[in-house]
Amino acid sequence: MRFLTFILLFLSTHFSFSQDFGYNSIPEELLKNADAVVRLNQMSVVIKARNLMVVSSKRVVTVLNENGDRYIHAFAFYDKSDKITGLEAKIYNKQGEEIKKIKKKDFFDQSAVSGGTLYSDSRVLFMRYTPTEYPYTVEFNKEYATPNTAFIPKWNFVDGYRVSTEKSDFTFSTESAIAVRYKESNLEEHSIEVNKTGNRRNYSAAYIKALKKEPLSPSLNEFSPTVKIALDKFHLEGVDGTAETWKEFGKWIYDELLVGQDALDPHTIEKVNSLVKGVDDPKEKIRKVYNFVQDNTRYISVQLGIGGWMPISASEVDRVKYGDCKGLTNYTMALLKSVGIDSYYTVVYAGSQKRDFDPDFPVMQGNHAFLNIPLEEENDIWLECTSQITPVNHLGTFTDNRNVLRVTPSGGEIVKTKTYLDNENHQLTKAEYFADIEGKVTGSINILSKGTQYNYKYRNQSKSKIEQEEYYKEYWDYINDLSLGKINFKNDKENIVFEEELEISAENYMSSVEGKLLFAPNISNRNLAVPERCRNRKRDLIIARGYLDEDEFTIHLPENFEPETLIQPVSLETKFGSYKIVMEHKEHGILQYNRKLLIKSGKYSKEDYELYRNFRKQIARYDNSRIVLTKM
């Protein structure tokens, strides 16, 4: 009797979620702060064998406004190995009435990668629908089979910010004897139900309210509920693999994807060895080989079968003079090997938002490859082999301070990339300004940038004159009527220092009031950004990267004008950093303005957010300070 009651309840629930798609049936609490409501997100993953996975899913989303359109997710990626056995979408109006059905043949079929990819067999079928009114609902059903079991779909119970979930259901089962590993994160905080029966696991949740994005908060991945699954023995494009440990997984990458890919033409080996002839310093050898790669190759993307993970051979890159991140990294590794320097192919999650490899959960992951070179008694050197302009050992914000997988002949190792200390991200600005009685200011500025501040600047050298002027007008957007004169750059790639030399002028920089002039001494480095107010904050404050700004301005006042008062010395010391201003009247008509701002990276409590916000408000106020100049 209990079993029959369970079946009736299941059918009743299934019917409810399958049929009642009207807007008015959405609980009020799920509409608050939401752009979309996921009515049902359901997936079943079945491992039939080491080389066969079947996935079926049903997703129903009510889109409340145009910002919610991106949560429909009505698409299916595939390549020649995959077989899509079911694909259909239905559109419902506000009342929950079906107004359109889209079958598989009506989905648009196109390459799944950008125009920068030369070779790829990755494609995507996607639904194209333009709504005539909001809200509307999309029901999307998909089923596919794939031999690639290296990537079992990760299950996220939260799609993103400003989207709520009415019901989420994920089932994983295996019909093989392969060992399965699970990584469950943040389930208890969200009342996720877990049912385990033999080789089957089911995860379900209901009524997850929409999250509001908080400024300077942790990544959504860090606190949202997720389930990751991996097989100890998997299959990828015709190649079997094993990944019980990172060491074992790295050994598989080395043996199956890298061995035999490092052969080079003898003529190329001779050429590279001639470049380093007489050079004993390994750093200088690395620099010369890296420059050779930058001068003789260019980046393209290759995503063809196992080529999506296996690098193009070094000899092929040498012949065609291009490659993707894997191919160029492998090519550079082969060239360094030919001059006696060992280096290691390394896989990373690249991007400005830091993302780590999980040291406790070996699985195929990452989106980029680059090169690691350990040197005895020194820090490691890192090479970004896809860039024609990035210096040796400059990671910037793309690959800094995160766990990555280093692949060695003996296996994989989780290591951490270079971390830039706060004061290493240094910008020194020296300037001399001349003001006249008409309110105009002219000046010459010299800016030296290092660390991540170098990263934000050095590409400006390759931009057009118009693009450079646009950059500086945005950088100094608080200066009206800004005109730029000379712009010169010096890129010291050996010491990783970028120098900017500029001449600027600004009409009407000073305003006149009753014969007096209002003058803002901080002309060229005002930090006016203040984090937005965040009431009832839920999450920690994260300052991902700190920095140090130092400014030294010499200011020549208009003839016969003197300041009524100077800005008094300012010294702010907080857990988040420090801020100092010193202004001096050096001699008749000349002011010296010195400023120092240090922002400290780190993780702070949610209670600290308002304190940090107040600190930034004080900085903005002092940076925008004015003095009164009076005619003598």
Side-chain angles (χ1 to χ4, degrees), residues 45-57:
V45 177
V46 181
I47 302 298
K48 299 283 188 180
R50 185 176 188 169
N51 62 348
L52 180 58
M53 176 171 64
V54 176
V55 181
S56 58
S57 61

Side-chain angles (χ1 to χ4, degrees), residues 123-160:
R123 301 192 65 79
V124 61
L125 289 164
F126 67 95
M127 182 192 79
R128 183 179 293 173
Y129 174 73
T130 303
T132 56
E133 62 178 359
Y134 294 91
Y136 70 99
T137 298
V138 177
E139 175 189 351
F140 177 59
N141 294 280
K142 175 174 65 175
E143 183 172 305
Y144 68 92
T146 177
N148 298 317
T149 55
F151 305 100
I152 296 172
K154 174 185 175 183
W155 192 249
N156 298 301
F157 292 89
V158 175
D159 275 31

Side-chain angles (χ1 to χ4, degrees), residues 548-561:
L548 172 64
D549 281 1
E550 294 185 281
D551 306 291
E552 301 172 8
F553 303 158
T554 301
I555 302 165
H556 299 262
L557 300 178
E559 188 176 358
N560 297 324
F561 275 81

